[in-house]
Amino acid sequence: MSFASKVWKLLVAIKDGLVLCFILLFFLGLYAALSYRTPAAKVHDGALLLSLSGVVVEEPQAVDPFAFVSPLGSVTQEHRAADVVRAIEGAATDDRIKVVVLDLDFFFGGGQVTLGDIGEAMDKVRAADKPVLVHALAYTADSTQLAAHASEVWLDPMGAAMIGGPGGSYLFWGGLAQEYGVTVNVFKAGRYKSAVEPYTRTEFSDDAKQDLNGVLSAIWSEWGDEVAKARPKAKLAALIADPQAATDAAGGNPAQAALNSGLVDKLGTWEEFEDRVAELAGDNEDAGTADIPFAHTAYQDWIEAEPMKTGGKAIGLVTVAGTIIDGEAGPGTAGGDRIAALLDDALDDELAALVVRVDSPGGSVTASERIRQAILRHKAKDIPIVISMGNIAASGGYWIATSGDAIFAEPATITGSIGVYGVLPTVEGTLRKFGVGVDSLGTTPLSGEPDVYAGLSPEFEAAMQGQVRSSYAQFRELVGTSRKIAPERVFELAEGRSWPGGAARQVGLVDRLGGLDAALAYAAQQAGVEGDDWHVERIESKPEGLAAFLSGLTGAESETEARRADVAGIFAARRDAAILTAFNDFGSLMAGSPVQALCTTCPVPLRMVQTEQRGPQWLRALRLLAD
């Protein structure tokens, strides 16, 4: 017994020691994360390397720590568009940079406006007599838009060009709701407000089709014009119209078909591409990571090593990106309280002007108004307010835009969608299907409303419709007052109709065509700043400690893993993102704000989903379907 007791005590001691070591390691790791500081970056002679695995967005999402441990989470790298553009433009005048290289092997895309801005930056590099090289495993419409601006376009011999224009399938839940007895109570204002149709119908209405087809055709035409101008010798029409016929004409080789079309200059593996870059940039002796043989600087390192200038007057820049919701959400989601607080915190700053970058399909009316009011508090300081529209500034995004003295958009921007709706599902029919009875008692007509079990009372329905009509009237008044448009004309432009940027300018919803740089320069000019004696002061949430540490871990895949991807894998990843987004949209029906100014059918850029942003809603939707 004495020996057994000693063995037991030894095992307990080992267990206690292991637990203590684990606790110490945990707190050491937590301390390291919280005190994490990015090491100083250095720019090396050679190539500027942009490994754009993931997506390019206006404002990257905050990293959800649970996505690292949840099998349902997805952490995909998001690249801030402004950083990508600034690094490429900087390479044009940086004598240390000999060549710009874009690795698009695992690139999922970005908004058409965003990619156009990157393309213009690539043109500046080429105008400085520096080559721009691009390599991809597959060229989609998004990667083609970038590749068209390159001096050398490479495609993997096992790859293909599969170019699809904007559009696709939209899910309609009306039949499912009817099947399970769910009553979808809709309150809307605006003839073309098609945002509610996915919840109530099985297909688009004729009005919605007309509106959406017009927008899709306009932005696709802009895409074609840009690609043709950047790469005039390319003959893409046949490849786009019938890719299989083009492949058959190339002996059944999809990569050769892309080469024959003039989109691609060279077929080669990544390793062969690296050798070509090494000829231009030199060998990698001490620069960057050892597994890349050519001398290079990652664009993130260039951005850190070359901070933005700080001299002269400050032009404030705040971003409203993603769906607009009530609360503190974001970055990457436009939480009304968060953005309003950022703007209020900047009231004491000596800003010469304020530029509001909007890249949002809209969302909560109350959150949109909260952001607009915060902008107006800056406007009360008698400084110019300029709105810069990105890929989309529709519904609630345009609500916010009415605060500006001037509105800039680009031809491929989607805007308008001036309308308001509300959706409240009730399950009285579902309960009856399962023999569940409901009896109600109340002291007033609105007792227990909205009653999800027994259905909405006529009094509540009237009150909700009145709320929607009131919000819609306020929306139209904001547009009419800010744009100086007569009420009857506003009504014609509104009704939920969407407009591409060029058409929006023609009808008076937009003042000028131009990107963010043009809007910033105009704001400085309106503020009376001479020349370039000004700098951009970002008004944004700044990640620190754990958040900054996790952001450094969100590279989509390592270089080796990205090289193992194939065409099917890339499109499968895009499919997965579309499926999760669809479930999220269904989940938002059950969890969203009751009064929305949101364009749910507007073609927004593909964005990888994360547990924090999308997970709870689409998981809720899955549980509902399973039940």
Side-chain angles (χ1 to χ4, degrees):
M1 292 297 293
S2 176
F3 176 75
S5 176
K6 291 179 179 179
V7 171
W8 175 252
K9 289 181 179 179
L10 177 62
L11 292 175
V12 170
I14 293 173
K15 182 265 294 180
D16 291 342
L18 291 174
V19 170
L20 180 60
C21 289
F22 175 79
I23 293 174
L24 288 173
L25 289 173
F26 172 79
F27 281 106
L28 284 173
L30 183 62
Y31 173 78
L34 293 174
S35 60
Y36 174 77
R37 296 293 182 272
T38 305
K42 180 182 177 181
V43 178
H44 304 275
D45 291 342
L48 177 71
L49 175 60
L50 296 101
S51 295
L52 298 182
S53 296
V55 291
V56 178
V57 298
E58 195 68 38
E59 181 181 52
Q61 299 179 66
V63 178
D64 175 19
F66 292 103
F68 287 92
V69 297
S70 170
L72 298 173
S74 173
V75 180
T76 300
Q77 191 168 7
E78 295 186 337
H79 306 267
R80 186 192 295 273
D83 290 344
V84 174
V85 170
R86 188 165 77 85
I88 296 176
E89 289 181 341
T93 56
D94 190 331
D95 293 337
R96 296 165 294 185
I97 302 300
K98 302 174 183 177
V99 55
V100 172
V101 177
L102 276 70
D103 172 9
L104 304 181
D105 276 9
F106 218 68
F107 178 60
F108 292 128
Q112 188 167 317
V113 167
T114 298
L115 300 181
D117 293 342
I118 297 174
E120 289 182 4
M122 295 165 67
D123 291 341
K124 293 178 182 178
V125 176
R126 296 184 62 183
D129 293 326
K130 294 184 179 183
V132 179
L133 275 65
V134 174
H135 187 279
L137 283 162
Y139 284 104
T140 63
D142 288 351
S143 48
T144 296
Q145 188 178 354
L146 292 183
H149 295 270
S151 50
E152 286 188 31
V153 181
W154 286 58
L155 174 65
D156 190 280
M158 298 295 291
M162 302 178 68
I163 303 170
S169 296
Y170 295 79
L171 294 182
F172 288 78
W173 306 95
L176 180 67
Q178 185 176 3
E179 174 71 20
Y180 286 95
V182 176
T183 301
V184 182
N185 302 277
V186 171
F187 314 92
K188 71 169 186 172
R191 172 183 173 186
Y192 294 91
K193 199 61 190 173
S194 57
V196 300
E197 292 190 357
Y199 306 136
T200 60
R201 298 174 57 93
T202 57
E203 61 183 3
F204 281 120
S205 66
D206 290 340
D207 283 343
K209 279 186 178 180
Q210 177 186 8
D211 181 46
L212 188 56
N213 275 329
V215 173
L216 294 177
S217 297
I219 62 177
W220 180 236
S221 178
E222 290 291 338
W223 182 94
D225 290 345
E226 178 184 339
V227 171
K229 180 180 178 181
R231 202 168 181 83
K233 294 183 179 180
K235 307 298 181 184
L236 299 181
L239 184 64
I240 294 172
D242 194 341
Q244 186 56 51
T247 299
D248 291 342
N253 187 333
Q256 185 63 43
L259 183 66
N260 293 345
S261 73
L263 166 63
V264 173
D265 300 309
K266 179 80 173 178
L267 300 182
T269 64
W270 174 256
E271 290 73 20
E272 292 170 331
F273 178 73
E274 287 179 320
D275 292 340
R276 167 59 178 153
V277 176
E279 294 176 5
L280 301 170
D283 294 330
N284 182 6
E285 298 176 354
D286 60 355
T289 55
D291 60 343
I292 298 178
F294 55 85
H296 70 281
T297 301
Y299 88 89
Q300 296 94 334
D301 290 337
W302 191 96
I303 287 294
E304 183 180 342
E306 299 291 331
M308 297 176 68
K309 70 174 187 176
T310 57
K313 297 285 188 179
I315 307 296
L317 174 62
V318 66
T319 299
V320 180
T323 304
I324 302 168
I325 66 175
D326 298 297
E328 299 286 345
T333 300
D337 290 346
R338 177 183 64 85
I339 295 175
L342 288 172
L343 286 165
D344 286 343
D345 288 344
L347 280 171
D348 293 333
D349 297 343
E350 295 297 326
L351 300 180
L354 175 66
V355 174
V356 183
R357 178 69 166 178
V358 180
D359 194 46
S360 170
S364 164
V365 168
T366 55
S368 300
E369 176 62 10
R370 182 161 174 74
I371 295 171
R372 189 184 76 90
Q373 288 293 340
I375 296 170
L376 292 180
R377 288 191 280 276
H378 280 268
K379 197 170 189 176
K381 297 179 66 177
D382 199 27
I383 64 172
I385 306 294
V386 178
I387 307 297
S388 172
M389 293 181 170
N391 301 292
I392 181 170
S395 287
Y398 196 85
W399 184 299
I400 293 169
T402 61
S403 61
D405 300 312
I407 298 177
F408 280 69
E410 299 197 48
T413 298
I414 301 169
T415 187
S417 191
I418 300 166
V420 179
Y421 74 91
V423 177
L424 285 172
T426 55
V427 295
E428 63 273 21
T430 308
L431 296 178
R432 284 195 298 269
K433 281 179 176 286
F434 291 94
V436 179
V438 179
D439 197 2
S440 302
L441 297 172
T443 54
T444 72
L446 298 183
S447 292
E449 296 292 342
D451 193 334
V452 68
Y453 302 121
L456 307 181
S457 69
E459 293 82 2
F460 182 81
E461 289 183 349
M464 274 295 298
Q465 185 60 43
Q467 178 65 39
V468 169
R469 282 198 300 266
S470 174
S471 297
Y472 183 44
Q474 183 182 358
F475 201 167
R476 295 201 316 270
E477 183 178 359
L478 287 174
V479 174
T481 302
S482 65
R483 306 303 304 160
K484 297 179 175 57
I485 302 175
E488 58 274 12
R489 178 58 175 159
V490 173
F491 191 81
E492 295 174 5
L493 300 177
E495 294 200 280
R497 189 195 307 265
S498 300
W499 300 88
R505 185 192 178 198
Q506 291 176 355
V507 300
L509 295 178
V510 166
D511 294 301
R512 296 167 179 259
L513 294 180
L516 178 58
D517 287 345
L520 288 165
Y522 177 82
Q525 180 187 26
Q526 293 301 110
V529 180
E530 296 183 1
D532 60 352
D533 189 25
W534 55 275
H535 70 276
V536 177
E537 184 170 313
R538 290 188 174 275
I539 303 171
E540 61 183 357
S541 304
K542 295 178 174 58
E544 297 180 356
L546 181 59
F549 175 74
L550 292 177
S551 295
L553 302 179
T554 56
E557 279 80 22
S558 70
E559 293 296 326
T560 303
E561 290 170 329
R563 297 284 81 76
R564 287 202 300 264
D566 57 17
V567 174
I570 291 172
F571 281 94
R574 292 173 64 90
R575 172 208 62 198
D576 292 345
I579 291 173
L580 292 179
T581 301
F583 278 118
N584 172 78
D585 292 341
F586 179 75
S588 66
L589 169 65
M590 309 301 296
S593 173
V595 179
Q596 296 270 334
L598 174 66
C599 185
T600 61
T601 54
C602 288
V604 297
L606 178 69
R607 184 165 201 161
M608 300 299 105
V609 293
Q610 293 185 9
T611 303
E612 179 184 24
Q613 299 292 346
R614 297 287 193 181
Q617 292 189 0
W618 71 261
L619 286 175
R620 186 183 301 112
L622 282 175
R623 286 196 293 268
L624 287 169
L625 291 175
D627 292 342

